[in-house]
Amino acid sequence: GESTEITSLDPETGVLSSIPENLGSSYSSGLEMNANFNLTKWWSLNSSLNGYYTYYNADKVDNSLSYATFGGGGSIYSNIRFKFGLSLNFGVHSWYTAREIQGRTLPNLWHWTSLTQSLLKKNLKITLSVNNPFYKNSRWENRVFNLRINYSFGKTKVKKQRSSRLENRTGGDGGSGGNQGPGR
């Protein structure tokens, strides 16, 4: 079943309370489209657009809470690669829900940007990022700065020789099966 928080006001005490309730059932359908564009050798864009319809049947709690809503969202993500392992990423994501169980939501816009420098044969990556750099106040998230340092200590490849020896083991001799190939 579908569940959500139901907020109610006690008329005697004036206290608001939110209680999780099992509403009943819901039906959703939607459509999402994605597109990737390589504008140049150094600049790529990814985009998505989605829309949906949802019907909530709240007959287990209060049939007047049953409703249908439309919503959707979209995003654009850009990656620009410069020389010497430097890249700039930025994106925008927006979403909207026409109605919720006890109210409506306003459209919201969230954006970010990051600058990454790859060093030491791409084993070291230093990234400075900021969420919502152009908003003073956001309803969902304040401006947040992050500094990430990632270092890759090596690759975890299984060598072909070892892998082929493991595949050729018979296991019928009760031994380790290590005397299978040349040079053993």
Side-chain angles (χ1 to χ4, degrees):
E2 186 68 33
S3 66
T4 192
E5 294 278 326
I6 301 292
T7 302
S8 60
L9 174 66
D10 185 330
E12 294 179 15
T13 63
V15 174
L16 281 173
S17 61
S18 292
I19 300 170
E21 291 281 353
N22 186 359
L23 296 180
S25 61
S26 67
Y27 166 81
S28 293
S29 63
L31 177 66
E32 181 170 6
M33 295 179 290
N34 296 296
N36 299 319
F37 305 99
N38 290 320
L39 302 175
T40 66
K41 288 182 180 180
W42 48 270
W43 187 12
S44 64
L45 287 175
N46 300 342
S47 63
S48 69
L49 185 63
N50 65 64
Y52 63 88
Y53 166 83
T54 302
Y55 173 73
Y56 292 97
N57 181 1
D59 60 354
K60 289 187 177 181
V61 175
D62 181 351
N63 203 34
S64 68
L65 294 176
S66 297
Y67 70 98
T69 187
F70 290 96
S75 62
I76 297 174
Y77 174 77
S78 177
N79 182 359
I80 299 174
R81 292 174 302 282
F82 300 102
K83 292 183 179 182
F84 310 112
L86 186 65
S87 64
L88 174 68
N89 298 292
F90 54 91
V92 176
H93 181 70
S94 178
W95 65 94
Y96 176 71
T97 300
R99 183 174 172 194
E100 291 181 343
I101 189 74
Q102 288 184 301
R104 299 187 182 281
T105 60
L106 297 173
N108 201 1
L109 182 71
W110 184 73
H111 60 283
W112 69 93
T113 188
S114 68
L115 191 62
T116 300
Q117 177 66 58
S118 296
L119 301 165
L120 303 175
K121 297 181 181 178
K122 297 185 180 181
N123 287 328
L124 176 65
K125 290 186 180 182
I126 301 170
T127 303
L128 176 64
S129 64
V130 60
N131 294 341
N132 294 323
F134 303 113
Y135 283 164
K136 282 188 171 182
N137 296 314
S138 171
R139 281 177 271 142
W140 293 93
E141 186 174 338
N142 293 326
R143 188 175 303 139
V144 176
F145 291 88
N146 292 303
L147 177 64
R148 288 187 306 269
I149 300 173
N150 296 333
Y151 185 79
S152 175
F153 289 98
K155 300 186 184 215
T156 57
K157 290 183 180 177
V158 177
K159 293 182 179 179
K160 286 184 179 180
Q161 181 182 11
R162 181 174 177 213
S163 137
S164 66
R165 273 188 280 160
L166 291 173
E167 289 173 4
N168 289 331
R169 286 186 181 173
T170 61
D173 62 356
S176 66
N179 295 328
Q180 298 289 324
R184 285 283 177 190

